[in-house]
Amino acid sequence: MNTESAFTAPILDWYDANARDLPWRAPDATPWGVLVSEIMLQQTPVSRVLPVWDAWTTRWPTPAALAAEPSGEAVRAWGRLGYPRRALRLHEAARAITERHGGDVPSSHADLLALPGIGAYTAAAVASFAFRQRHAVLDTNVRRVLARLLSGAEYPPKTQTKAEVKLAESLLPLDPPTAARWAVAVMELGALVCTARSPRCVDCPVLDRCAWQLSGRPAYDGPPRRGQTYAGTDRQCRGRLLAVLRDAAEPVEKPALDIVWSDATQRERALDTLIADGLVDPLEDGRYALPG
C-alpha cells in the first residue's frame, strides 16, 4: 500500500466530517478573503481572527478598496490581533495587486510570491485554498502532524528543512483540487486533534499507522521549546501605545502616550521601534498619529 493510499483517504474523510465552518473556506469565499485570512491567522488563533476578518472584508471587500485608504486605517482596523506590521503588509499587498494585477489576487504562485510581505507559506496557501492548486502548504500544524505521523518525532525541527518540504510534496495527491483539500485537511487535523500539548490521539483517523504512536510516543529530546511571554515586554508596550492612536480620532500629544507605560526607557524604545516600522508617524508639531 503506497503512502498516499495509506493516509490520504482517512484524513480527507475525517476532514469532511469534522472541519470547522470558517468563512474563508466557504464556497463563495474570494481569493482576497483567503489572503486576508492567511495573514491574520499567522501566530493568532481562529477565535480572535473571526470578528476582525469579518469587519475587514466587509469594509474592504477587494484589494482596491483597501489600497484606496491610508495605511493607518489598516493599522486601526487591525485592532488587537497583535503583530500589527501584518496590517501594513496587507496594505502593501493590496496596492501591488491593484497596480500590477488590475485588482484581482493573482492565481500564479510566482506572482503571489512576488507580492510585498508574502512569503513561501502564504503564497502556497493562497494558491491552494483560493485556486485549488497543488502545493505543499507547511504551517506549524502540518509540520507537527507529519513529524509524528511519518518521522516518529513529537515535534518537528525548530526551523523548516528541505527534507520536510520534500516529504510534504511526496504526500500530495496528483489531482490539484484533491491536493488542495488534503493540504487544509492535514492543517485542520493538527489544529483540532494532533495538537502541540495535549494531542487527542484517540480521535486520530490514522492512529494505527502513526509512527510516533507505534514507537510509544517518545518525548521530545531536542532543544528546549520556550513559550513566548507577553506581560512586561516591549511587545506589550508597543500594543498599548498603538491602542492610544487607534482609539483617537486626531493625532495625540506625547503625554497621552506617556501615561500608558511607566517605564520611560522601555516606552521610548518601543515608540522608536513603532516609528521605525512605519506604524506611527511623528508629526512636525510634536504629536503622533497612525501612518497617513
Side-chain angles (χ1 to χ4, degrees), residues 2 17 35 51 61 69-70 72 101 143 195-196 211 223 240 243 262 270 275 289:
N2 63 36
L35 174 57
E69 296 218 35
H101 303 286
R143 295 181 64 224
T195 57
R240 289 192 181 176
S262 60
I275 294 170

Side-chain angles (χ1 to χ4, degrees), residues 98-157:
T98 303
E99 294 167 0
R100 302 177 195 171
H101 303 286
D104 294 325
V105 175
S107 59
S108 159
H109 181 270
D111 286 342
L112 286 165
L113 196 56
L115 294 174
I118 303 300
Y121 164 77
T122 304
V126 174
S128 296
F129 305 152
F131 300 106
R132 305 294 186 265
Q133 296 177 13
R134 185 177 183 271
H135 297 280
V137 183
L138 278 165
D139 76 342
T140 302
N141 287 321
V142 174
R143 295 181 64 224
R144 185 173 58 253
V145 170
L146 297 186
R148 291 174 179 172
L149 193 61
L150 295 165
S151 302
E154 184 177 14
Y155 299 115

Side-chain angles (χ1 to χ4, degrees), residues 16-291:
D16 288 343
N18 296 278
R20 289 169 291 181
D21 182 16
L22 301 175
W24 45 84
R25 293 179 183 167
D28 61 349
T30 66
W32 171 241
V34 173
L35 174 57
V36 171
S37 75
E38 286 300 330
I39 298 296
M40 288 186 173
L41 287 165
Q42 293 169 10
Q43 303 182 59
T44 309
V46 166
S47 60
R48 292 182 60 199
V49 166
L50 278 168
V52 182
W53 181 93
D54 184 63
W56 186 289
T57 54
T58 297
R59 180 176 177 180
W60 298 307
T62 64
L66 176 59
E69 296 218 35
S71 59
E73 286 305 298
V75 176
R76 192 188 309 277
W78 197 256
R80 298 183 180 277
L81 280 184
Y83 303 100
R85 277 177 290 180
R86 292 181 292 169
L88 294 181
R89 291 205 300 267
L90 256 177
H91 188 266
E92 292 169 4
R95 283 188 169 176
I97 291 167
T98 303
E99 294 167 0
R100 302 177 195 171
H101 303 286
D104 294 325
V105 175
S107 59
S108 159
H109 181 270
D111 286 342
L112 286 165
L113 196 56
L115 294 174
I118 303 300
Y121 164 77
T122 304
V126 174
S128 296
F129 305 152
F131 300 106
R132 305 294 186 265
Q133 296 177 13
R134 185 177 183 271
H135 297 280
V137 183
L138 278 165
D139 76 342
T140 302
N141 287 321
V142 174
R143 295 181 64 224
R144 185 173 58 253
V145 170
L146 297 186
R148 291 174 179 172
L149 193 61
L150 295 165
S151 302
E154 184 177 14
Y155 299 115
K158 186 174 181 180
T159 303
Q160 182 176 297
T161 66
K162 291 182 179 179
E164 285 182 276
V165 176
K166 186 175 181 180
L167 176 61
E169 289 174 344
S170 74
L171 293 174
L172 285 172
L174 295 178
D175 174 61
T178 304
R181 195 159 61 94
W182 160 259
V184 72
V186 178
M187 190 177 296
E188 191 78 333
L189 186 66
L192 300 183
V193 173
C194 195
T195 57
R197 295 185 180 178
S198 302
R200 294 171 23 226
C201 295
V202 67
D203 295 325
C204 179
V206 287
L207 176 64
D208 61 341
R209 62 206 78 176
C210 171
W212 185 54
Q213 183 73 26
L214 293 173
S215 59
R217 294 176 45 144
Y220 175 74
D221 62 357
R225 294 168 52 85
R226 297 182 177 87
Q228 291 185 335
T229 58
Y230 183 67
T233 62
D234 283 9
R235 185 170 159 236
Q236 185 184 35
C237 183
R238 282 164 54 101
R240 289 192 181 176
L241 295 172
L242 270 185
V244 173
L245 298 175
R246 281 199 311 270
D247 294 341
E250 300 290 337
V252 303
E253 303 284 350
K254 185 63 159 52
L257 299 176
D258 292 343
I259 199 172
V260 301
W261 199 264
S262 60
D263 184 331
T265 300
Q266 186 178 26
R267 184 181 66 240
E268 295 306 312
R269 181 173 67 242
L271 181 58
D272 286 345
T273 62
L274 286 170
I275 294 170
D277 289 343
L279 290 163
V280 171
D281 274 351
L283 305 181
E284 292 184 359
D285 62 5
R287 295 182 299 167
Y288 294 82
L290 293 176

